[in-house]
Amino acid sequence: MITMTQHPIARLRGGALLAAFLVLAGCASRSPFDDSLYPPPRQRALPIVVPQLSRQQPQATERALFVDTQTLELDSLVTAVLQRNPSIAAMEETWRAVRARFPQVTSLDDPMLSYSIAPGTLANDRIDGGHKIDLSQKFPWPGKLRLRGEIVEREAEAAGYDIEIVRQRLVLETVRAYYEFYYVFRAIDINQVNLDLLKEFQRIAETKYAAGTASKQDPLQAEVERYHLEHRAIVLQRMRKVAQARINTLLHRPPELDLPAPPKQADAPGARPELAVLRTRAVNARPELQALARRLEARRTARELARKEYYPDITVMGTYNSMWDSEEHRWMIGAAINLPLQLERRRGLEMEALAQSNRLAAELVAGVDKVALEVSEAYDMLVESEHVVRLYGEKFKPVAEENLKAAQSGYEASKTDFLTLLTAEKNLMLVQLAAEQALTEYHQRRADLERAVGGDIEAMPLPDPQNQPNPQPQGDHSHE
């Protein structure tokens, strides 16, 4: 008698099962994410298609911008940046998206229509067909839809102030880039004037050397200094391209496009209000604080809405049931309410709204302190710049110019050496550059102050505090 284990077919089946088990065991020992089993697909970079914004201008118009303008004025540049920069378009679409939520939260839910049929009455000649139709409409507790709409309105107002935040940031960046552009042009002009002056000094030195009244070292020193100024001219051209690219980026244009030259002279320091007046204006005008105040109002309204959740919603319904024998019983109307028994969920919703309200109130108080500090720091920096501008204009520049004239006269009369003349020329150039740098910093710091205040420090009216949102918590710190 041959046993099962001895039968050749059984042995064959057993070997096959063993082999299959070993194969499965080997596969199971490998991770399903093994790269050798499942090689990753080749990574392919997707082409970026830049969308055409509604406010975006065609490329031909971009190149034509400022073509007929001889001088690049700051006001026209700021206007162009605010019209063309895509950052504002992004914030405007955010504001529109928030506003579009208003009809979503203030509308009723869709009515519910249901139809039922008794399948046992189908294809039954002895019984009439039975069916039932239900129509219902849910009505939130009075006041809920209104509060939801008010929350969206406050959030939309905050989003509107977010647009103003971006606008003011762009204005500040534009002003700073503009005066960097201005300084580079003034540095190029100063460098060229000093280069021409140094060539004149080299000619005088060569004449004196030919006459035997000066050494050969004098014209050689002048030539070396001339090479330094020529090298600086190359560096300044590179700086001009960088400043130009920064402005073109703000204008949403290719960085290499040319821009008109700025004016030959920036405005001198003008009048400014007192620090206390600017602080008061800043608290009422900074869009960051206004946005926080609107969001605080929205959270307070959300807490009021959370209290409404303790009240039930009402559902009105009508029914037609053909399976009632009496015609009077077939039509029915009624109402239903939800039972607000889940008190912990509603308390949690109310406490969340309270915590959010307290958080925003604290942020608003801290924001007022931060704005006051920013105004004070920017004001002190501006006052310092005013003193520096006047110091260079009234003291340093006249003395440096007189010193150069004296050194040139002394060298021509062989009373001073050429090194003294070169030193006087270098000092004058450094003073001229420092004077333009001080004027540039003054206008940049004035822009910093206007950004800290939240608008033009001369033209901005002082708002009436009675019409502004109260930044205080108004008793919301009491956790109920």
Side-chain angles (χ1 to χ4, degrees):
M1 181 176 180
I2 302 177
T3 62
M4 182 67 66
T5 56
Q6 295 174 341
H7 197 281
I9 297 180
R11 290 197 299 270
L12 180 61
R13 289 178 178 175
L17 290 174
L18 178 61
F21 174 77
L22 293 176
V23 170
L24 291 175
C27 293
S29 65
R30 305 180 70 173
S31 170
F33 300 102
D34 193 340
D35 291 345
S36 62
L37 291 178
Y38 305 100
R42 294 185 60 185
Q43 299 297 322
R44 181 174 62 89
L46 296 177
I48 300 299
V49 179
V50 180
Q52 186 77 14
L53 302 179
S54 58
R55 64 165 63 220
Q56 189 171 333
Q57 302 295 327
Q59 188 173 7
T61 307
E62 293 174 0
R63 296 185 178 276
L65 189 65
F66 302 123
V67 168
D68 298 330
T69 305
Q70 300 298 324
T71 303
L72 183 62
E73 299 292 343
L74 178 59
D75 292 341
S76 60
L77 177 60
V78 169
T79 301
V81 168
L82 295 180
Q83 290 176 348
R84 300 171 57 86
N85 195 282
S87 300
I88 296 180
M91 297 308 300
E92 288 177 347
E93 294 304 322
T94 301
W95 170 71
R96 292 187 180 94
V98 175
R99 289 189 62 190
R101 290 170 47 200
F102 183 84
Q104 302 177 46
V105 300
T106 57
S107 300
L108 294 174
D109 292 341
D110 291 334
M112 296 295 296
L113 176 64
S114 63
Y115 177 78
S116 306
I117 190 170
T121 63
L122 298 177
N124 192 332
D125 297 335
R126 296 178 301 170
I127 303 176
D128 294 334
H131 57 269
K132 179 183 177 183
I133 302 175
D134 294 285
L135 178 64
S136 62
Q137 174 66 61
K138 180 180 178 181
F139 294 93
W141 187 266
K144 286 185 178 181
L145 295 182
R146 174 183 58 82
L147 293 174
R148 292 170 186 170
E150 289 180 2
I151 293 174
V152 172
E153 287 178 349
R154 299 294 87 77
E155 291 177 349
E157 291 174 0
Y161 281 108
D162 289 340
I163 299 175
E164 185 61 24
I165 293 173
V166 175
R167 287 172 56 86
Q168 292 187 6
R169 177 182 61 81
L170 285 175
V171 170
L172 176 61
E173 292 181 6
T174 302
V175 172
R176 284 193 154 273
Y178 176 84
Y179 281 103
E180 288 177 7
F181 194 58
Y182 162 83
Y183 172 74
V184 171
F185 269 80
R186 297 291 70 77
I188 291 174
D189 293 341
I190 292 172
N191 191 77
Q192 185 60 47
V193 169
N194 282 271
L195 182 59
D196 296 339
L197 187 61
L198 196 57
K199 290 179 180 179
E200 176 64 19
F201 292 165
Q202 183 178 4
R203 185 191 62 80
I204 295 174
E206 290 173 350
T207 302
K208 290 176 65 66
Y209 171 68
T213 57
S215 65
K216 187 177 182 180
Q217 186 179 8
D218 292 354
L220 290 178
Q221 285 182 337
E223 188 172 3
V224 170
E225 292 299 325
R226 179 169 60 86
Y227 291 153
H228 280 301
L229 292 182
E230 290 176 350
H231 172 262
R232 179 171 175 77
I234 297 174
V235 174
L236 290 173
Q237 288 297 328
R238 188 261 305 166
M239 294 174 62
R240 180 189 65 81
K241 292 181 179 179
V242 172
Q244 175 180 279
R246 185 175 293 112
I247 294 177
N248 279 326
T249 301
L250 290 170
L251 288 168
H252 190 52
R253 299 202 314 166
E256 69 277 1
L257 294 184
D258 291 331
L259 290 169
K264 291 292 184 181
Q265 184 63 40
D267 296 334
R272 50 177 165 74
E274 295 297 327
L275 177 58
V277 175
L278 294 177
R279 282 176 178 168
T280 304
R281 289 180 175 178
V283 171
N284 292 278
R286 278 290 289 266
E288 293 89 345
L289 299 182
Q290 292 292 337
L292 272 175
R294 297 308 186 275
R295 292 188 170 98
L296 175 58
E297 291 178 357
R299 291 307 95 199
R300 288 171 176 167
T301 306
R303 188 186 180 194
E304 185 178 352
L305 177 62
R307 295 193 183 103
K308 292 285 186 181
E309 292 299 324
Y310 290 96
Y311 298 93
D313 298 329
I314 303 172
T315 301
V316 179
M317 50 193 171
T319 302
Y320 175 77
N321 191 337
S322 67
M323 289 177 288
W324 287 98
D325 295 334
S326 175
E327 182 71 24
E328 290 79 5
H329 289 164
R330 292 181 179 180
W331 291 95
M332 299 185 68
I333 59 174
I337 62 171
N338 64 301
L339 300 179
L341 300 179
Q342 303 299 328
L343 299 182
E344 289 301 321
R345 179 177 68 84
R346 288 168 172 81
R347 289 194 193 101
L349 184 64
E350 185 179 1
M351 295 304 294
E352 179 186 2
L354 174 62
Q356 293 286 0
S357 175
N358 291 337
R359 176 184 64 83
L360 289 172
E363 289 182 4
L364 185 55
V365 174
V368 171
D369 295 337
K370 181 180 178 181
V371 165
L373 176 61
E374 290 177 358
V375 172
S376 297
E377 291 179 345
Y379 186 87
D380 292 339
M381 297 291 286
L382 181 64
V383 171
E384 177 189 353
S385 292
E386 291 176 358
H387 291 312
V388 174
V389 169
R390 293 190 179 96
L391 184 63
Y392 274 100
E394 299 173 2
K395 303 294 184 180
F396 286 162
K397 283 181 68 175
V399 173
E401 292 171 354
E402 189 65 26
N403 183 44
L404 179 59
K405 291 180 181 179
Q408 183 176 356
S409 300
Y411 180 72
E412 291 177 352
S414 300
K415 294 181 180 180
T416 58
D417 57 10
F418 192 70
L419 182 59
T420 301
L421 179 60
L422 287 181
T423 302
E425 185 270 333
K426 285 183 180 180
N427 288 339
L428 176 60
M429 184 177 68
L430 292 177
V431 168
Q432 291 172 335
L433 290 172
E436 293 295 343
Q437 182 67 40
L439 191 58
T440 297
E441 289 183 355
Y442 163 78
H443 286 284
Q444 290 178 334
R445 290 177 177 179
R446 187 180 179 92
D448 292 338
L449 179 59
E450 292 184 341
R451 175 66 185 92
V453 172
D456 189 347
I457 61 177
E458 294 294 335
M460 181 172 51
L462 183 61
D464 184 4
Q466 299 296 329
N467 296 330
Q468 299 301 319
N470 190 350
Q472 299 303 321
Q474 295 183 353
D476 280 358
H477 286 291
S478 59
H479 292 266
E480 297 179 359

